[in-house]
């Protein structure tokens, strides 16, 4: 079953603008991860945030986690054409299994 | 270079044939995973392995089989029992369980006609 649900399904912005993607989930988690996938390629890990963390930064990426609302957001600042990809959230609940959402397709127009 | 390799990139098979997808990693990771991705969809877990000679079914294991005889290798066989085998297959590995990031291979696109 897919626990994470990203919103919006698709997002189109101009280069230089910020992009925000949201992820909601249903059950308790130990951590939440964000991945990027370029078309036809494998996924690349972006950032992992644990359930006791509220915010995490990595370069132009900022991730927040609100466990009371069971939601997370990924912010990409000053977007570039190279950021065009699909972005997936994945939740981990203490076993070996990560549960992925269906992704947000981001298009950054030069 | 450390990483995960999958071969081949594209695979074509006739209906009724079994086919094996290769996955090799040199990251010295204990855990390995197989996912299936359909167009516009997220990843669904087929099988995972925590250590050599051990593997567990994921959400959609029916029609698939795996083996883990070596730490570096986790091949996936798509059997003729799998009703809709055409998909993009992704292999991943991680140091241990879901508290760690997963490293993905480039994927194999399987088309069965």
């Amino acid at each position: 079953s897919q626990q994470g649900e990203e919103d919006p399904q698709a997002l189109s912005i101009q280069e230089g603008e910020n992009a925000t993607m949201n992820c909601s989930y249903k059950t308790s988690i130990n951590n939440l991860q964000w991945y990027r996938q370029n078309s036809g390629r494998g996924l690349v890990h972006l950032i992992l945030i644990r359930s006791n963390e509220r915010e995490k930064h990595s370069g132009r990426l900022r991730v927040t986690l609100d466990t009371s609302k069971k939601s997370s957001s990924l912010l990409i600042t000053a977007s570039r054409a190279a950021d065009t990809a699909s972005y997936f959230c994945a939740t981990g609940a203490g076993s070996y299994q990560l549960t992925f959402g269906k992704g947000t397709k981001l298009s950054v127009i030069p | 270079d450390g990483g995960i390799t999958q071969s081949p990139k594209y695979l074509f098979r006739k209906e009724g044939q079994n086919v094996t997808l290769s996955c090799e990693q040199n990251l010295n990771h204990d855990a390995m995973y197989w996912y299936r991705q359909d167009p516009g969809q997220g990843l669904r877990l087929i099988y995972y392995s925590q250590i050599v000679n051990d593997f567990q079914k994921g959400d959609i294991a029916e029609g698939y089989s795996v083996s883990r005889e070596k730490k570096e290798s986790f091949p996936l066989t798509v059997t003729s029992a799998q009703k809709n085998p055409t998909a993009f297959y992704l292999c991943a590995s991680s140091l241990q369980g879901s508290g760690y990031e997963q490293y993905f291979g480039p994927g194999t696109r399987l088309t069965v006609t």
Side-chain angles (χ1 to χ4, degrees):
Chain A
S1 60
Q2 289 179 316
Q3 168 159 238
E5 290 290 336
E6 291 91 344
D7 170 63
Q9 289 186 336
L11 180 61
S12 184
I13 59 173
Q14 297 288 328
E15 203 166 27
E17 293 181 339
N18 295 344
T20 299
M21 288 158 265
N22 302 296
C23 171
S24 59
Y25 57 92
K26 295 190 175 85
T27 62
S28 295
I29 61 171
N30 285 353
N31 69 85
L32 187 144
Q33 303 182 32
W34 284 91
Y35 289 81
R36 185 187 75 217
Q37 183 181 35
N38 289 86
S39 183
R41 312 287 288 273
L43 278 70
V44 174
H45 182 264
L46 295 175
I47 201 160
L48 181 155
I49 186 166
R50 303 201 184 277
S51 59
N52 60 354
E53 297 174 308
R54 291 295 166 258
E55 189 170 312
K56 212 160 179 183
H57 295 255
S58 177
R60 292 184 296 113
L61 306 181
R62 173 179 166 251
V63 168
T64 61
L65 179 63
D66 186 336
T67 52
S68 66
K69 294 181 179 176
K70 291 187 169 59
S71 69
S72 173
S73 67
L74 170 66
L75 169 67
I76 304 174
T77 60
S79 62
R80 305 165 182 168
D83 294 327
T84 294
S86 291
Y87 291 82
F88 295 89
C89 68
T91 53
S95 66
Y96 274 74
Q97 193 161 335
L98 279 182
T99 305
F100 287 80
K102 293 184 180 181
T104 291
K105 193 168 184 176
L106 173 66
S107 298
V108 181
I109 303 162
Chain B
D1 267 340
I4 300 186
T5 57
Q6 290 185 244
S7 61
K9 189 171 175 63
Y10 299 96
L11 193 51
F12 299 88
R13 280 293 181 270
K14 295 287 187 190
E15 202 172 307
Q17 293 179 334
N18 290 357
V19 60
T20 297
L21 281 59
S22 165
C23 177
E24 304 275 332
Q25 55 101 356
N26 61 3
L27 299 166
N28 200 32
H29 284 168
D30 284 319
M32 295 187 76
Y33 311 81
W34 273 106
Y35 294 94
R36 170 185 171 132
Q37 187 177 33
D38 293 287
Q41 301 294 310
L43 277 65
R44 291 185 289 169
L45 183 66
I46 305 172
Y47 269 98
Y48 66 96
S49 168
Q50 300 175 32
I51 54 171
V52 174
N53 293 323
D54 179 73
F55 47 83
Q56 308 293 329
K57 291 182 180 180
D59 297 322
I60 55 165
E62 187 176 346
Y64 300 97
S65 66
V66 293
S67 63
R68 185 90 187 273
E69 295 175 4
K70 297 187 299 181
K71 189 174 186 177
E72 306 79 32
S73 179
F74 190 40
L76 173 75
T77 296
V78 184
T79 75
S80 55
Q82 167 50 231
K83 290 184 175 29
N84 297 298
T86 294
F88 189 49
Y89 290 88
L90 286 158
C91 179
S93 72
S94 68
L95 200 56
Q96 290 177 18
S98 67
Y100 295 85
E101 65 180 277
Q102 292 187 9
Y103 292 76
F104 282 81
T108 292
R109 190 168 299 280
L110 173 64
T111 302
V112 177
T113 56

